[in-house]
Amino acid sequence: MATIKLEDLVKAYDNVEVLHNLNGNIQDGEFVVVVGPSGCGKSTLLRMIAGLEKITSGKISIGDKIVNDLEPADRDIAMVFQNYALYPHMSVRQNMGYGLKIRKIDKQEIERRVLEAAEILGISEYLDRKPRQLSGGQRQRVAMGRAIVRDPQVFLFDEPLSNLDAKLRVQMRLEIRKLQKSLNVTSIYVTHDQVEAMTLGDRLMVLNGGVVEQFGTPIELYDNPETIFVAGFIGSPSMNFIPVECTEKSVSLCNGKKIKKSLKYSGKALMGIRPEHLEEDKKGNIRIVVQMVEQLGSNSLLHGTLEDTDIDIVASLSGHVTAEAGSIFSFNVQETNIHVFNPETEKRLG
């Protein structure tokens, strides 16, 4: 096991920077998820840590060693890829043990480690099968088994579940979390799926355009997003945003309605409210003109626009809700659930 330290990391291709002065400390045994939209630099960062991409400038330390110039094989890491990267002509047993074989580990030790990992992952009965004889979930377990037998200091996961169907993704991410907890190996996991990130990570590093927007626990990011991007990216359905005019005691919506909110700020701003924090109230100041209702079983998503505007709003209501298009629902929101952002800096206010 080991800590990982990222110091002022920069990655550039020719004259184009894709990662900008990135910093972060990952603790021994911690599970950190790097999350963000496609093209934000997630996989590039992971490959730099693995040694598969050269660092333009900055430092990466694993344990007490700077690894910038070390070959991937010398970094004591194991990587699980999106496409499994299994050898089709080898059995599961051979795939799992191949990395140890080329390191000239004793055959009996290889067998012991393979059997132990197979037992942990529930794939003991598949050891003599070829990858083509396995399902996607079974292949991913084999790929994880190949990483486990290495007994590395660090696990790196590059969107390992993106090829699986939705139900299997849920099952596999729970298995990955339990596995990481039981092995207590420092792990970095890359995904674009914020629900997956919230489920798995001890902490989340949110990347946007090669910059760390926020690095904290899932609840910290959900309750106290530092930027408009984090507020909109974390949480499902996404946060609603409404242009407002602030005084130190209230915010005025763009349709003239006022909501109580104490702030040390006056001027134009963007107010954020999560759909699940809108509370139905016939006298409420947030009035939504319904366009459609999305039934999800335990709850319903009401899609519409803020009255007298064309601003889209989503409200999450418990149970089964029916409503005609054009009908109006009124809501209130607790002051503590109102987020206010500076529209120019995109930073949180107050």
Side-chain angles (χ1 to χ4, degrees):
M1 295 184 291
T3 59
I4 300 173
K5 190 172 185 180
L6 312 174
E7 298 179 78
D8 298 322
L9 278 190
V10 173
K11 177 62 182 178
Y13 296 101
D14 296 324
N15 294 322
V16 180
E17 272 195 20
V18 294
L19 287 177
H20 316 285
N21 294 309
L22 189 147
N23 290 277
N25 291 328
I26 298 162
Q27 303 304 314
D28 194 5
E30 190 175 24
F31 196 118
V32 166
V33 178
V34 182
V35 63
S38 297
C40 70
K42 305 183 301 292
S43 292
T44 299
L45 172 60
L46 203 71
R47 291 173 63 82
M48 288 166 70
I49 295 168
L52 302 175
E53 289 275 0
K54 281 199 166 189
I55 298 165
T56 303
S57 65
K59 293 179 185 176
I60 297 175
S61 302
I62 298 177
D64 56 0
K65 185 186 296 184
I66 296 172
V67 299
N68 288 31
D69 300 320
L70 288 184
E71 292 297 318
D74 299 324
R75 297 191 182 200
D76 200 10
I77 55 98
M79 195 161 179
V80 180
F81 296 93
Q82 177 179 344
N83 61 359
Y84 320 131
L86 301 177
Y87 296 108
H89 62 286
M90 291 185 183
S91 67
V92 168
R93 186 190 309 271
Q94 291 168 328
N95 265 287
M96 289 174 64
Y98 184 70
L100 301 179
K101 181 181 176 181
I102 62 175
R103 287 163 56 191
K104 303 192 184 304
I105 303 294
D106 179 76
K107 285 184 179 179
Q108 288 184 328
E109 176 63 12
I110 294 175
E111 182 68 4
R112 183 192 70 77
R113 292 196 198 180
V114 167
L115 291 175
E116 188 177 273
E119 180 68 25
I120 290 170
L121 292 163
I123 54 174
S124 299
E125 62 188 286
Y126 308 127
L127 285 173
D128 295 319
R129 295 189 187 181
K130 297 283 175 53
R132 67 176 179 274
Q133 297 172 298
L134 305 177
S135 68
Q138 290 163 349
R139 291 180 197 178
Q140 195 53 272
R141 286 188 180 92
V142 175
M144 288 191 290
R146 183 177 54 195
I148 291 170
V149 299
R150 295 272 308 277
D151 191 22
Q153 289 192 91
V154 176
F155 281 147
L156 303 177
F157 296 89
D158 190 7
E159 303 210 41
L161 306 183
S162 58
N163 289 336
L164 306 180
D165 63 58
K167 184 177 180 180
L168 190 53
R169 276 203 306 273
V170 173
Q171 178 187 338
M172 286 298 296
R173 71 188 183 215
L174 291 174
E175 290 186 16
I176 287 174
R177 192 64 177 113
K178 286 192 292 185
L179 178 66
Q180 192 273 338
K181 281 287 188 187
S182 65
L183 297 174
N184 198 32
V185 177
T186 307
S187 301
I188 302 177
Y189 186 107
V190 160
T191 182
H192 64 274
D193 185 333
Q194 56 93 12
V195 175
E196 193 167 282
M198 295 281 286
T199 305
L200 284 170
D202 293 321
R203 287 191 297 156
L204 312 185
M205 178 184 285
V206 182
L207 279 188
N208 180 32
V211 174
V212 177
E213 292 268 344
Q214 194 168 347
F215 191 10
T217 68
I219 295 304
E220 285 171 353
L221 271 60
Y222 177 86
D223 286 343
N224 297 295
E226 292 178 358
T227 66
I228 291 173
F229 178 82
V230 174
F233 192 80
I234 298 297
S236 181
S238 296
M239 185 179 283
N240 298 300
F241 293 105
I242 303 170
V244 294
E245 187 77 30
C246 297
T247 68
E248 293 189 354
K249 293 183 179 179
S250 68
V251 292
S252 297
L253 307 188
C254 50
N255 62 1
K257 302 289 185 181
K258 286 189 176 183
I259 299 175
K260 181 183 175 184
K261 176 68 175 176
S262 297
L263 279 173
K264 293 180 179 178
Y265 174 81
S266 296
K268 295 187 182 299
L270 202 61
M271 179 177 73
I273 304 171
R274 296 199 181 279
E276 56 271 29
H277 291 157
L278 286 166
E279 302 170 357
E280 197 172 356
D281 181 346
K282 289 182 180 179
K283 296 181 180 179
N285 283 338
I286 301 173
R287 290 166 57 84
I288 298 176
V289 182
V290 176
Q291 293 176 331
M292 63 166 285
V293 177
E294 192 177 357
Q295 301 282 0
L296 300 179
S298 62
N299 68 310
S300 303
L301 298 181
L302 188 153
H303 297 262
T305 57
L306 184 67
E307 188 181 37
D308 298 328
T309 77
D310 58 359
I311 295 169
D312 292 329
I313 299 282
V314 178
S316 180
L317 303 175
S318 60
H320 307 298
V321 176
T322 57
E324 295 292 329
S327 59
I328 293 178
F329 279 61
S330 297
F331 298 90
N332 268 331
V333 62
Q334 298 292 325
E335 185 176 356
T336 52
N337 290 327
I338 294 173
H339 308 270
V340 184
F341 302 91
N342 184 314
E344 293 181 2
T345 65
E346 301 192 353
K347 300 289 186 182
R348 182 188 179 91
L349 294 166

